Amino acid sequence: AQKVTQAQTEISVVEKEDVTLDCVYETRDTTYYLFWYKQPPSGELVFLIRRNSFDEQNEISGRYSWNFQKSTSSFNFTITASQVVDSAVYFCALSFYGNNRLAFGKGNQVVVIP
Amino acid sequence: EAGVAQSPRYKIIEKRQSVAFWCNPISGHATLYWYQQILGQGPKLLIQFQNNGVVDDSQLPKDRFSAERLKGVDSTLKIQPAKLEDSAVYLCASSLIQGGTDTQYFGPGTRLTVL
């Protein structure tokens, strides 16, 4: 069975602080994919990143960065110098090759205080 | 490129009534998904179509939920009769590749309230 755990439910930070969201996953498959989505108050899930199980390179995109560690089954997400527009719920998700069903975590509510 | 379109955005009904949601995927996307997102939780897949065929409906409550994707483009999700616990956001998503694994792009969702 596939499972994604996002432990922190709500995280409040002051603008310009960094925030890290933890994602721990469980799967027996050797080929799998990890995703992060952002859900702003408008409700639409916005795709942020996709990573396959063979690519452990960390990635940086602007103020966003991701740290993938297979040894600890984690795919953590950091927002650097947070802004009010980063206030949203962030979901980590997992799927395996050949089946597009996404298993989502419960999400992290990020509140950035101006 | 236009994103995934859904309508209506909001719907309020009484329990035991029927309701239908519509989704138009991104042009050219073969695979379409319906998810249910209950408040405070992550989305849960209800049904997955590849073109106009059902790939996975194992988590669809078939006694009251039904979905179709005629002609392999638009899709409709129906609930009949609705229960209080069906109050949720219903998200539609689409992806390009048939088979394998591909990124899913989501629509704005339909927020359903059952009174």
Side-chain angles (χ1 to χ4, degrees):
Chain A
Q2 299 181 104
K3 184 180 177 182
V4 175
T5 301
Q6 294 179 255
Q8 318 109 304
T9 51
E10 182 167 329
I11 304 167
S12 294
V13 296
V14 177
E15 200 169 20
K16 297 184 183 177
E17 288 184 339
D18 298 348
V19 56
T20 295
L21 309 179
D22 297 329
C23 172
V24 175
Y25 62 91
E26 296 176 29
T27 181
R28 294 178 182 173
D29 298 286
T30 55
T31 303
Y32 53 89
Y33 299 82
L34 294 161
F35 301 80
W36 277 95
Y37 284 87
K38 173 182 179 181
Q39 189 172 42
S42 59
E44 182 171 348
L45 277 165
V46 178
F47 166 71
L48 296 178
I49 190 170
R50 161 190 157 139
R51 194 45 110 224
N52 74 53
S53 52
F54 298 109
D55 182 3
E56 288 194 70
Q57 278 192 334
N58 293 329
E59 180 156 336
I60 298 174
S61 176
R63 295 183 297 105
Y64 294 170
S65 62
W66 291 269
N67 181 278
F68 177 26
Q69 292 194 334
K70 283 179 76 171
S71 60
T72 56
S73 297
S74 65
F75 186 43
N76 297 337
F77 172 33
T78 298
I79 303 172
T80 302
S82 60
Q83 300 176 2
V84 173
V85 293
D86 296 326
S87 295
V89 180
Y90 292 85
F91 289 97
C92 181
L94 168 70
S95 71
F96 63 89
Y97 183 80
N99 183 326
N100 254 1
R101 179 193 297 189
L102 285 172
F104 283 88
K106 290 187 175 181
N108 299 124
Q109 171 83 59
V110 173
V111 177
V112 181
I113 303 164
Chain B
E1 179 181 86
V4 177
Q6 290 187 248
S7 68
R9 290 295 313 276
Y10 304 91
K11 190 74 177 179
I12 301 174
I13 61 173
E14 303 273 338
K15 61 182 179 183
R16 291 188 288 272
Q17 286 187 325
S18 302
V19 65
F21 313 127
W22 174 82
C23 172
N24 182 254
I26 293 172
S27 178
H29 279 197
T31 312
L32 184 147
Y33 316 78
W34 283 102
Y35 287 83
Q36 180 192 58
Q37 185 179 17
I38 293 173
L39 186 65
Q41 298 183 18
K44 180 187 84 172
L45 180 71
L46 292 175
I47 189 167
Q48 175 183 342
F49 292 95
Q50 187 165 295
N51 296 309
N52 60 351
V54 175
V55 174
D56 183 354
D57 64 356
S58 57
Q59 300 188 100
L60 186 73
K62 299 181 185 64
D63 57 333
R64 297 184 300 105
F65 285 66
S66 64
E68 60 182 10
R69 191 184 184 197
L70 299 176
K71 301 181 181 178
V73 182
D74 293 7
S75 177
T76 303
L77 176 69
K78 296 179 182 177
I79 307 175
Q80 180 179 8
K83 293 185 176 181
L84 296 176
E85 58 261 36
D86 298 332
S87 293
V89 175
Y90 291 84
L91 294 161
C92 180
S94 69
S95 65
L96 180 61
I97 294 178
Q98 301 184 38
T101 298
D102 195 18
T103 299
Q104 297 178 34
Y105 296 92
F106 286 79
T110 297
R111 184 176 297 276
L112 174 67
T113 301
V114 182
L115 303 175

